[in-house]
Amino acid sequence: MMKIRIEITLCLLLFLVLAPFCICSGERLPVGMTLVRKATAHGAVCLDGSLPAYHLHRGFGAGSNNWILQFEGGGWCNDISSCLERAKTRRGSTRYMSKLEVFSGILSNNASLNPDFYNWNRVKLRYCDGASFSGDSKFDNGTSLLYFRGQRIWEAIIHDLLPKGLSRARKALLSGCSAGGLATFLHCHNFTKMLPSNASVKCLSDAGFFLDERDISLNYSMRSFYHDLVALQGIEQNLNPNCTRSTSNPKLCFFPQYALNYISTPYFILNSAYDVFQFHHSLVPPSADLHGHWNRCKLDPAACSAYQISVLQGLRRDMLVALYPSYKNSRRDGMFINSCFAHCQSESQDTWFAVDSPRIHNKTIAEAVGDWYFGRKITKEIDCPYPCDKTCHNLIPSPQGAKCNLISITGFTEIDYSFSSKNKFFSIHHIC
């Protein structure tokens, strides 16, 4: 009897030790890559000429006719040299991409982790064109060849998904993070036209509301970068024509704040008012801070001087001003603008829907998006200014990540980010 008790006790101890690992592994959802085989015939190829790709995890039950499409993010390249370098990486070629992608957050198939969208068809569109799926041109000088075919890639993936059930969609949500979040502004209207007229189609941008903002040296760094990007990759022809006709500088329609006014599809904007990318590479790019006066502030907001905090509050003010027309005039649109130092919050389970997820008025991001999509209530959540929000998961770039430089005009590159979340420390791979 004593031996049996000991064995039972050992089994229970073993279960208690291993159970957390079983739960964690059960939450991981690796999804295989699908190459779009017919894309080459339409010139829909990555920077290096490789086939475009996506990852599809099928929906089930009541969600079998509903679809989420998520644009992958990953910065941009705005000149030949940076695009040539990008073409040799997973950001410019499917040859170098992981063949399995782990779905989490808004792409999770677990009802307790993603209560409103867990049983939908969920698709991740891989990013390999360097221009938010929007270019349509080619570079060939006899020695080097680059394909700027983001617009064709977008169309090829949609046409590959239509016969797989997208053409019968009842509900659909086009989403994306960072450069992918920007892509939702560029393709939201077009996406709606591709689906059945009776489908409920909406769009969500996560950390994609890039501002046309002056940096601390009063230069329009981001505007200059986007101007070169639009010219290089032949993007202007694919921008919203109502927007481009309304301005003397059509390239500005690449900025979400100008494009949003011409999108009739219901739209949700998820963004931090202190977006860590825009803070580090648009507001305070290294070229505007040659002596590193902002270095400590960038690594730790608590180390910012009163003046630096006032500059950051100006960034928040400008974002809210740009969003005000949508906030005031549109009942169909939604937003969740928190005061966390973060960039992309819908794909990570910690920030999307968890016990300690960021909240505004005690509402998580997942709950806010779900309330908006299903019309349960009007959802326009605006956080109080930093440092009032104690629920934040702040993503702070590590010192080795500080090398990423917008103003070099050689394109955005990959860096490793480390970030602290309350008393936890995480290391993530991100794109600047």
Side-chain angles (χ1 to χ4, degrees):
M1 179 66 69
M2 179 65 69
K3 182 178 179 182
I4 293 175
R5 287 177 178 174
I6 291 172
E7 288 177 351
I8 292 173
T9 301
L10 288 173
C11 287
L12 286 172
L13 287 171
L14 188 63
F15 172 79
L16 290 173
V17 170
L18 294 180
F21 295 98
C22 296
I23 293 171
C24 290
S25 63
E27 292 173 0
R28 289 178 61 84
L29 177 63
V31 180
M33 174 187 283
T34 299
L35 292 172
V36 184
R37 300 290 180 183
K38 298 178 181 179
T40 305
H42 303 284
V45 292
C46 299
L47 285 171
D48 70 333
S50 57
L51 290 172
Y54 61 85
H55 301 253
L56 165 63
H57 193 262
R58 289 287 188 176
F60 56 92
S64 58
N65 287 319
N66 302 334
W67 290 76
I68 288 181
L69 275 64
Q70 176 88 353
F71 285 115
E72 183 180 27
W76 311 270
C77 62
N78 73 329
D79 62 17
I80 296 302
S81 62
S82 62
C83 289
L84 284 171
E85 287 300 313
R86 190 182 181 95
K88 302 172 187 175
T89 73
R90 66 190 180 94
R91 294 303 174 189
S93 173
T94 49
R95 295 186 178 100
Y96 304 107
M97 290 181 181
S98 59
K99 302 305 182 282
L100 289 174
E101 279 289 294
V102 174
F103 280 18
S104 64
I106 196 172
L107 297 179
S108 171
N109 68 334
N110 187 324
S112 64
L113 302 177
N114 187 24
D116 284 311
F117 306 107
Y118 72 96
N119 60 353
W120 288 30
N121 297 283
R122 285 149 289 111
V123 187
K124 186 167 189 175
L125 285 67
R126 299 307 298 268
Y127 182 35
C128 65
D129 65 280
S132 292
F133 296 83
S134 63
D136 194 358
S137 64
K138 184 174 73 171
F139 171 79
D140 185 358
N141 66 355
T143 303
S144 299
L145 177 61
L146 287 167
Y147 296 93
F148 303 127
R149 297 288 174 75
Q151 178 72 27
R152 298 191 197 191
I153 288 172
W154 154 249
E155 293 171 359
I157 291 176
I158 292 296
H159 286 118
D160 204 61
L161 290 170
L162 286 172
K164 295 182 178 182
L166 184 60
S167 64
R168 301 185 299 276
R170 294 178 181 173
K171 293 181 174 65
L173 177 62
L174 182 65
S175 65
C177 157
S178 191
L182 175 56
T184 65
F185 288 99
L186 303 176
H187 294 299
C188 182
H189 180 68
N190 181 248
F191 181 59
T192 303
K193 293 194 299 182
M194 292 177 168
L195 298 188
S197 59
N198 62 347
S200 172
V201 183
K202 301 186 180 183
C203 299
L204 160 69
S205 170
D206 177 8
F209 197 76
F210 296 99
L211 290 173
D212 183 22
E213 182 88 348
R214 289 183 186 268
D215 63 32
I216 57 170
S217 62
L218 303 183
N219 293 316
Y220 281 103
S221 304
M222 203 71 173
R223 182 188 293 187
S224 175
F225 185 91
Y226 279 170
H227 185 281
D228 292 344
L229 174 64
V230 171
L232 174 70
Q233 295 220 26
I235 295 171
E236 187 173 326
Q237 61 187 321
N238 296 322
L239 298 176
N240 188 301
N242 293 323
C243 181
T244 57
R245 283 194 296 264
S246 69
T247 174
S248 59
N249 185 358
K251 293 180 176 64
L252 287 178
C253 293
F254 196 72
F255 279 101
Q257 69 197 79
Y258 305 120
L260 181 60
N261 297 330
Y262 301 94
I263 298 174
S264 56
T265 302
Y267 213 101
F268 192 98
I269 296 173
L270 164 61
N271 230 94
S272 166
Y274 309 97
D275 182 273
V276 74
F277 171 84
Q278 297 195 59
F279 170 22
H280 289 204
H281 306 289
S282 180
L283 181 65
V284 191
S287 65
D289 184 32
L290 297 176
H291 299 290
H293 296 306
W294 282 78
N295 287 352
R296 291 182 66 242
C297 178
K298 284 183 174 181
L299 294 173
D300 180 9
C304 297
S305 67
Y307 166 73
Q308 290 168 333
I309 289 294
S310 70
V311 173
L312 287 170
Q313 302 299 16
L315 176 67
R316 174 181 181 270
R317 180 196 63 238
D318 291 347
M319 181 169 289
L320 296 183
V321 168
L323 289 170
Y324 184 72
S326 177
Y327 179 85
K328 180 182 179 182
N329 300 323
S330 175
R331 293 180 61 85
R332 60 182 173 80
D333 293 342
M335 61 185 66
F336 189 101
I337 310 298
N338 61 10
S339 293
C340 307
F341 286 81
H343 184 67
C344 291
Q345 301 178 86
S346 64
E347 294 177 332
S348 169
Q349 196 60 56
D350 282 345
T351 48
W352 173 249
F353 189 70
V355 173
D356 63 346
S357 290
R359 284 169 165 77
I360 303 178
H361 302 134
N362 203 33
K363 182 179 293 187
T364 65
I365 295 169
E367 290 167 332
V369 172
D371 284 348
W372 161 78
Y373 187 92
F374 292 99
R376 294 191 286 252
K377 59 184 68 175
I378 295 174
T379 305
K380 295 184 178 182
E381 304 291 351
I382 307 291
D383 210 351
C384 50
Y386 171 83
C388 71
D389 192 337
K390 306 305 180 185
T391 70
C392 281
H393 290 219
N394 291 319
L395 285 72
I396 307 299
S398 61
Q400 62 267 28
K403 296 180 291 185
C404 185
N405 186 354
L406 162 63
I407 311 306
S408 64
I409 309 301
T410 56
F412 296 101
T413 55
E414 300 180 31
I415 64 173
D416 287 315
Y417 274 87
S418 298
F419 69 95
S420 61
S421 176
K422 300 184 179 175
N423 295 321
K424 298 177 285 185
F425 186 85
F426 301 86
S427 178
I428 62 171
H429 198 66
H430 204 69
I431 301 301
C432 61

